[in-house]
Each structure stands twice: as structure tokens, then as C-alpha cells.
Amino acid sequence: MAGYLKIAVGAAISLAAIGCEKPALSPVGERIDGPYVLTSEILSASPGKVICYQILNDGCDLRVPPPVVRLGWDENFISAAVRKIGEPDAVDYYYIVRDFDGPGADVARVVRGPYDEAAFIDERRKHGVPGVAPIGSAPIGAEPTPAN
């Protein structure tokens, strides 16, 4: 049993190290604004749309996990609602602080969340974070009308 645990830990560390050297996502998708792209993630346990930061070597660094179902942005923030795994009617909210972002940025500093709806509304009031609208309700690249 301990042998299997060592193998699993070793594999996880190897995969994490590989992920640090080269981004796993392709930047092919819909441009949100600036370097941010809404693209499909097919390798995770919950495939769907993700938000990533496009970098120069044709890679894309993950910022918000799948599946992103609502989206909003302005010059300071990118905000998103992500469907919870196993709870199709429930969402978590995230937002990206654009001033802190860039190639090689510390994602823990850049991405805030997950928040439940009440906490996200509080973050919006405190920091001016934009609301989110369902993906497809407005063309990507056009300012969405916030749903909340």
C-alpha cells in the first residue's frame, strides 16, 4: 500500500514539474480582452471553458478553472462564474486582478476566489469588480451586461 502511495506522489510531483516548464493549454479560443482567452479544457476531470493568459510562446497559463459559465470584465478585472462539480445549479465566483497579472505572475496573487454569491457581491462592492453574464449572451470582446 505504501508503495502505491509513493508512486502516486512521485507521479503528481513529476506532472507538476512538467506543468511548470511548459503551459498545458493552447491559446486557441475566443479573445476576451488583452491577453485573456476563453478556451476549452479537455484534459481535466471537469472539461469545459477556462480563462487563460496568453503568453508569447503560443502557450496559455490557466487563470480560472473549468467550467466557466458566466463572464464579465473591465479595465481592472476579469470575473467569472464556474459551475461546481456535482452541483449543476451551483457556481463559485472568481476574479482576476489585471494589474497584478503578466507572464510568470503568481496566480495566488492574481486570481481571487472561489467565492459564494454573497461573498462575490461583497467583493464587487468593495473593489468594483464587474458582474458576470452567461457566456453567449454577448459576443466575446464586447462588454457584457452584468447579470448580478
Side-chain angles (χ1 to χ4, degrees), residues 115-132:
Y115 297 103
D116 63 20
E117 186 170 11
F120 182 65
I121 290 169
D122 189 48
E123 289 293 304
R124 290 187 62 212
R125 285 188 192 124
K126 287 194 290 190
H127 304 295
V129 174
V132 295

Side-chain angles (χ1 to χ4, degrees), residues 38-111:
L38 183 67
T39 189
S40 295
E41 165 60 30
I42 57 172
L43 300 176
S44 76
S46 59
K49 299 286 186 179
V50 300
I51 297 173
C52 65
Y53 185 97
Q54 186 172 3
I55 53 178
L56 295 177
N57 68 351
D58 292 330
C60 203
D61 289 338
L62 180 67
R63 292 297 185 257
V64 177
V68 175
V69 294
R70 289 185 246 157
L71 182 63
W73 65 91
D74 63 19
E75 64 278 358
N76 299 311
F77 304 101
I78 306 279
S79 53
V82 174
R83 187 177 310 117
K84 286 186 177 183
I85 297 172
E87 298 180 53
D89 297 329
V91 295
D92 283 324
Y93 295 88
Y94 294 84
Y95 68 92
I96 299 166
V97 182
R98 295 175 76 164
D99 282 346
F100 297 160
D101 210 355
D106 178 5
V107 177
R109 182 173 186 231
V110 171
V111 179

